[in-house]
Amino acid sequence: MRQSIVSIAFSLGLGMFAGTASAAGACAEEGYQIGAAQDDITGPVAELGMLGYADLGQVGEGLHMRLRSRALVIANACGQEPVAMVIADQALMFHGVKQAVLDQLQKEIPGVFDHRNLLLSVTHTHSGPGGYAHHALYNVTTFGYSRANFEAIVAGTVRSLVQAWRQKEPANLWISRGELPGVQFNRSPEAYAANSDHSLYAEPSDPEMIQIKVVAESGRPLASFNWFAVHGVSLPLSNKFVSGDNKGLAAYTFEKTMGATYLKSGEFIAGFVQANSGDISPYDVSHPVPGDVDGYPRNAASAAAQFNKAYELYQNASEPITGPVSAVHSFVDMAYHDVAGAFTGQGPQKTCNGALGVAFAAGTENGQPLSIFKEGTVYGDSWPKITLMPEEQACHAEKVILLPTGFVRPHPWTARIAPFQMLRIGQLVVVATPSEITTMAGRRLKKAILDIMAPAGVKYVVISALANEYLHYVTTREEYSTQNYEGGSTLFGPWTLAAYTQIYSELGEALRDGRSVDPGKLPPDLSDQQLILKPGVLFDTAPIGKNWGDVKDDAAPSYSAGERIQVQFWGAHPNSSLKGRDTTLLTVEKLENGRWNPIRYDWDPDTFYQWKRDGISNSQITITWVTDESVAAGSYRLCHQGHGKQILTGKIKGYAGCSRAFEVTPAGATRRTAQK
């Protein structure tokens, strides 16, 4: 989040339970009951700004791959003391989303989940629709709140969790660890080099991948979840197709390898969870990269590398997970929080109220920086001692205060109450951080927690970043002093990591000892304080003499495998197809034994759905199939399905249409001349 927010901002002027023990009696059996499921959370794919790059020009125009909520529920052998982890193909997670999910879960499966034992995290794709936050800063580039997107995210997340809970069964867990070098690039090397301990590590990135494998006692593979640090920015800010970016594609590849179709329940689930990736790019940024570069090849490369390592770990997993399942959670006000000298190394300190700095506005090498702002702008050094907030500047130290988001009234533009959560699954501890945390900050935090938990049999600590809420960045004190983008985006000042380490250490001791903790104060409910500036679809029409689903520009009679195939249709706005009305907006169909059978859907990465307005309310739909040389010869057609909103009645009506049949011949074969 950065530059467009800055310019617009200036122009605009509890957990239900706190403890770690279940109310039910102790379970005398060993083992686990586990369920896994996924569901669609895609939301509007057109005319809604995307979230992540904070660029006004990045407005959705279609769909590359559907976004999904992947849920894993783990309980003891008696089905008690469950914990649930969700990894969602979204840019950011917000408390408002989690609270709405919990409210709905209380209706569907009452008494099962609460803030303590439910962890919601995101892959951090920068190619998903925005407008679903309850704090105003994140809805600036979408021109307000999108109820449609919020509801799609909540509904799909709830469905995945309910399904995972209801289909849990006796299962076994394994854990494995490996390293995946060569696919992470530190985008703030100057800040990283400022760390006093950087020479202890071979690379300025954390190549560790830790993965859990889930297999039912019947032998059926259920799921895998892994933690690996790399930003979801393989696709550039010029991309306008909704997509899960590298982690979404990696998950798809793993799931398809295990036989998933996305057409039925009970299929294998692969979660690719974000870790300490705050300063990690999926591609080399040491040389300028054009903002309009085709990001799909580098997206495929990053996804393939993550999948290959994950699949290797899955195949070779040999260490069983045994031991308790438990959780601990506390809400903490991060503004002016006292931090003990044992965690700062410089005596007692305090955090600050939330503010973003000049370096935040400068942006990152992955985005498009505002030329008037620069990374490395340090108060009193490269910036004169001039500040917007003299009474707060000392607290923020090197950061030049630019957006004092925590001081906006009546409601701050960013959250100040942070959810701190830890889960234990046998010898694994998951630290859920409501922020993006840098490589070195993550290393130090993991070590602190492992030191506390190791006496209780814990061998592995992972970070689930961007979990339960979004509070921007966490850097080390040394990195903060350089004021690169990550330091300028550390909301609560130079002692944020020290505060995190102190709070998580307290939670870790409670988790280790089986003690309850103060649940803290639930954040305020801002759901009825949202500004909605953009209306939904008013109505859909087609040109005179045309109907939704009619072909505008048809396919050629034949193509060679490896060619790009496109067909244009007259259709309706895709946002009329929300609320689960369409399983897919497109199909690629093959003629087999006299029947047309779908072989591709709009979640397959070699298809694209593109929407374009024609006139006032007509819609042109372009369906693209990017074939490769492995496509089998045969007769095919491209089809489009959707729903439109009728102009007079406002009723929603379904429609469908297909191209002419065309032949796909082996690569290199002579192609017949197209006839339009």
Side-chain angles (χ1 to χ4, degrees), residues 440-635:
M440 192 62 82
R443 282 175 176 151
R444 293 180 185 177
L445 180 58
K446 288 192 291 183
K447 183 181 184 304
I449 300 306
L450 184 58
D451 287 346
I452 291 169
M453 298 298 299
V458 170
K459 296 171 59 178
Y460 305 92
V461 175
V462 296
I463 288 176
S464 281
L466 300 116
N468 302 321
E469 176 63 284
Y470 185 65
L471 295 170
H472 291 259
Y473 278 72
V474 177
T475 64
T476 67
R477 181 64 184 90
E478 300 100 307
E479 289 167 346
Y480 185 92
S481 70
T482 70
Q483 280 301 291
N484 274 29
Y485 171 79
E486 294 80 14
S489 302
T490 299
L491 271 179
F492 301 107
W495 303 110
T496 301
L497 176 60
Y500 270 53
T501 307
Q502 175 176 287
I503 295 165
Y504 282 116
S505 295
E506 293 168 354
L507 293 183
E509 291 170 356
L511 189 64
R512 179 194 63 198
D513 301 337
R515 293 185 286 104
S516 62
V517 299
D518 181 358
K521 182 180 179 182
L522 199 69
D525 180 3
L526 302 178
S527 59
D528 61 351
Q529 303 294 317
Q530 300 309 305
L531 180 64
I532 301 175
L533 298 177
K534 295 182 69 173
V537 178
L538 299 178
F539 54 83
D540 292 296
T541 59
I544 296 175
K546 301 292 182 181
N547 296 303
W548 301 328
D550 286 352
V551 174
K552 181 178 182 291
D553 291 309
D554 213 340
S558 68
Y559 298 88
S560 294
E563 289 191 88
R564 177 183 292 258
I565 303 171
Q566 285 190 338
V567 176
Q568 279 194 336
F569 296 86
W570 293 110
H573 201 295
N575 296 354
S576 297
S577 293
L578 296 175
K579 298 185 182 299
R581 294 189 179 105
D582 291 295
T583 302
T584 181
L585 295 169
L586 68 88
T587 52
V588 178
E589 300 181 1
K590 185 179 182 184
L591 186 62
E592 298 173 313
N593 299 320
R595 294 172 59 96
W596 288 105
N597 296 319
I599 63 163
R600 297 286 193 281
Y601 300 87
D602 66 8
W603 52 80
D604 290 306
D606 55 358
T607 65
F608 289 85
Y609 166 97
Q610 185 172 22
W611 172 87
K612 181 181 179 182
R613 185 180 298 281
D614 180 81
I616 296 175
S617 53
N618 298 338
S619 294
Q620 294 180 20
I621 310 298
T622 302
I623 305 300
T624 301
W625 180 26
V626 183
T627 69
D628 61 34
E629 294 185 357
S630 68
V631 172
S635 296

Side-chain angles (χ1 to χ4, degrees), residues 632-664:
S635 296
Y636 295 86
R637 67 182 185 179
L638 301 188
C639 299
H640 163 50
Q641 304 85 38
H643 280 77
K645 189 173 185 179
Q646 296 177 306
I647 187 170
L648 295 179
T649 64
K651 292 183 178 179
I652 302 296
K653 179 183 178 182
Y655 69 90
C658 293
S659 72
R660 65 168 22 140
F662 56 85
E663 297 295 316
V664 173

